[in-house]
Amino acid sequence: MENFAFNVLKTCAQTGARLGVLHTPHGDIHTPAYMPVGTAATVKAMTPRELIEIGAEIILSNTYHLHLRPGEELIREAGGLHSFMAWPRPILTDSGGFQVFSLAGIRKIREEGVTFQSHLDGSRRFISPEVSMDIQHALGSDIMMAFDVCTAYPCDHDTAQAAMERTHRWAARCKTHHEQTPTRDTQALFGIVQGAFFGDLRVESAKALAEMDFPGYGIGGLSVGEPKPIMYEMLETIMPHMPMGKPRYLMGVGSPDCLVEGVLRGVDMFDCVLATRIARNGTCFTKNGRLVIKNATYAHDFRPIDEDCDCYACQNFTRAYVRHLFKAGEITGARLASIHNLRFLLRLMEDVRAAIAEDRFGDFRKAFFERYDMSRNF
């Protein structure tokens, strides 16, 4: 594609982790990259200017939620999602497949697509691979995701295989429909590897999607409740079968430890709502693990949230003050915690990229886990 290119700039001599850059019409994304999530055309508690200030190069929005509210036609009328939310950098839109999966009990999956009830008003809705593409075309995202079928943890092999095979058929329909539209050269469509927690299915899926020759690949159906070692095992199983020259996106994963471990296993892109969700509840990332700022122990603690952090919150405010804001019900507390958590992950990825560039990512990972208390993890 003329408007998209992914270059692997370096492979770490210690670990094989990849350093790259993904070129898009709205700017470059340096990988490995973490993408803040702006589900409903906003990263909660953050303005676009603040996201740029903390180093976000790309954000994620969601097809399902924007389809329900305010509707893709309104966003098209506004000039597309970039104009609508005043975000000048790249946007990736999830297809809505995971959100439909989460609606178990109020949705029915058929070969044609999925019929479901809106979680907002109960109205009956339908999304097919073609409809998902049409919505994402209207949104105008730089990277679109194919409409897929996600399975729960645990599930049996037959259920996982049926979902995977349907995902492949839907991926082919998405690709065919997308290639017939005027935006085929300005929006990149990524396929999604499925197969649940069965190595043979994951390999089959990776190979099948590679043959379809998408410009990039999501890895879906992980981080749905399974133990982390199982997720890591699946990544190790599929990576030898993923195209080397295409970006690999581990969907819905974003705790600090998982970012480091995902990069070790060859992942290039990540997203997760965790950073902002826990921030609104008063929980912060630190180099030592989780810190619950609302706890009484921080009432007289005049240190920053994380003494090594360069974010606006840590450079100007203390734990005692941020705790006070939460206890007083002031919205600024959630904003400062959100700024910190997002900057923490973006800076973590900056440090990861530097370590890969200098062939010391193995040493970086070792040092990270020596100080990061996994008992205070998520």
Side-chain angles (χ1 to χ4, degrees):
M1 299 179 65
E2 291 183 5
N3 294 294
F4 292 87
F6 179 67
N7 303 116
V8 178
L9 303 177
K10 183 176 179 57
T11 300
C12 177
Q14 280 189 339
T15 64
R18 293 147 48 107
L19 183 73
V21 59
L22 174 59
H23 306 285
T24 81
H26 285 91
D28 292 346
I29 304 152
H30 296 87
T31 64
Y34 165 74
M35 299 181 285
V37 176
T39 301
T42 178
V43 178
K44 285 183 171 57
M46 302 287 293
T47 66
R49 182 175 67 183
E50 289 167 335
L51 289 167
I52 289 171
E53 287 172 351
I54 63 173
E57 294 183 332
I58 177 173
I59 63 171
L60 180 146
S61 286
N62 184 262
T63 295
Y64 167 83
H65 289 281
L66 294 174
H67 172 60
L68 294 184
R69 183 174 57 194
E72 64 273 15
E73 290 308 319
L74 185 148
I75 294 174
R76 190 202 303 270
E77 183 182 347
L81 195 53
H82 292 89
S83 296
F84 186 57
M85 64 182 297
W87 173 252
R89 294 183 176 180
I91 298 174
L92 182 149
T93 45
D94 188 4
S95 68
F98 180 79
Q99 283 67 38
V100 169
F101 153 76
S102 69
L103 296 173
I106 56 173
R107 48 93 168 141
K108 188 171 184 62
I109 302 176
R110 295 187 175 91
E111 189 63 24
E112 296 79 11
V114 182
T115 303
F116 61 95
Q117 287 179 272
S118 165
H119 72 284
L120 297 176
D121 60 12
S123 62
R124 192 173 180 84
R125 303 293 185 109
F126 175 75
I127 294 182
S128 66
E130 293 80 9
V131 170
S132 177
M133 294 296 96
D134 288 340
I135 298 169
Q136 294 182 77
H137 291 147
L139 298 177
S141 52
D142 299 87
I143 300 171
M144 309 162 55
M145 302 304 297
F147 195 53
D148 62 329
V149 184
C150 186
T151 50
Y153 176 81
C155 70
D156 60 61
H157 192 277
D158 288 347
T159 299
Q161 183 171 1
M164 176 201 71
E165 291 173 348
R166 178 167 282 166
T167 291
H168 297 170
R169 294 192 296 272
W170 284 4
R173 286 169 57 185
C174 286
K175 192 169 189 287
T176 297
H177 193 71
H178 177 56
E179 289 176 347
Q180 296 171 347
T181 62
T183 63
R184 62 184 177 273
D185 294 324
T186 56
Q187 293 180 280
L189 173 63
F190 284 19
I192 301 178
V193 175
Q194 289 288 353
F197 311 97
F198 301 96
D200 62 323
L201 296 182
R202 285 286 175 177
V203 170
E204 181 180 347
S205 186
K207 289 180 176 179
L209 287 164
E211 289 179 2
M212 295 186 199
D213 194 26
F214 288 96
Y217 297 89
I219 302 165
L222 297 176
S223 192
V224 293
E226 80 280 6
K228 290 179 182 180
I230 293 180
M231 177 175 69
Y232 300 150
E233 179 187 351
M234 292 300 100
L235 292 176
E236 291 166 3
T237 299
I238 65 173
M239 282 307 172
H241 307 283
M242 301 283 283
M244 288 295 294
K246 305 289 183 68
R248 306 157 176 170
Y249 160 34
L250 179 56
M251 305 177 72
V253 173
S255 64
D257 59 312
C258 287
L259 296 184
V260 172
E261 293 293 79
V263 169
L264 178 71
R265 291 163 174 83
V267 175
D268 304 301
M269 302 167 68
F270 304 83
D271 84 281
C272 192
V273 299
L274 179 68
T276 49
R277 178 175 291 168
I278 65 171
R280 296 191 301 276
N281 295 318
T283 300
C284 301
F285 296 133
T286 78
K287 63 182 180 298
N288 298 314
R290 177 178 55 188
L291 183 151
V292 182
I293 200 73
K294 293 189 292 186
N295 287 352
T297 187
Y298 304 117
H300 299 275
D301 191 334
F302 300 109
R303 294 174 295 169
I305 296 171
D306 190 323
E307 292 174 292
D308 291 338
C309 184
D310 62 0
C311 80
Y312 173 74
C314 290
Q315 292 299 305
N316 292 279
F317 305 103
T318 66
R319 296 177 180 182
Y321 177 67
V322 177
R323 177 183 183 274
H324 154 71
L325 294 176
F326 273 101
K327 301 303 285 186
E330 292 288 343
I331 195 171
T332 304
R335 281 187 30 77
L336 292 176
S338 296
I339 290 169
H340 166 75
N341 279 357
L342 289 172
R343 177 56 187 157
F344 182 91
L345 294 185
L346 291 165
R347 190 180 183 199
L348 173 63
M349 301 312 282
E350 290 172 2
D351 293 342
V352 162
R353 292 194 295 268
I356 296 172
E358 297 167 7
D359 288 320
R360 55 177 180 83
F361 181 63
D363 296 334
F364 174 90
R365 174 177 174 266
K366 182 175 183 292
F368 174 85
F369 283 107
E370 283 176 349
R371 68 175 182 268
Y372 191 82
D373 185 354
M374 292 294 291
S375 69
R376 295 164 58 191
N377 197 28
F378 303 87

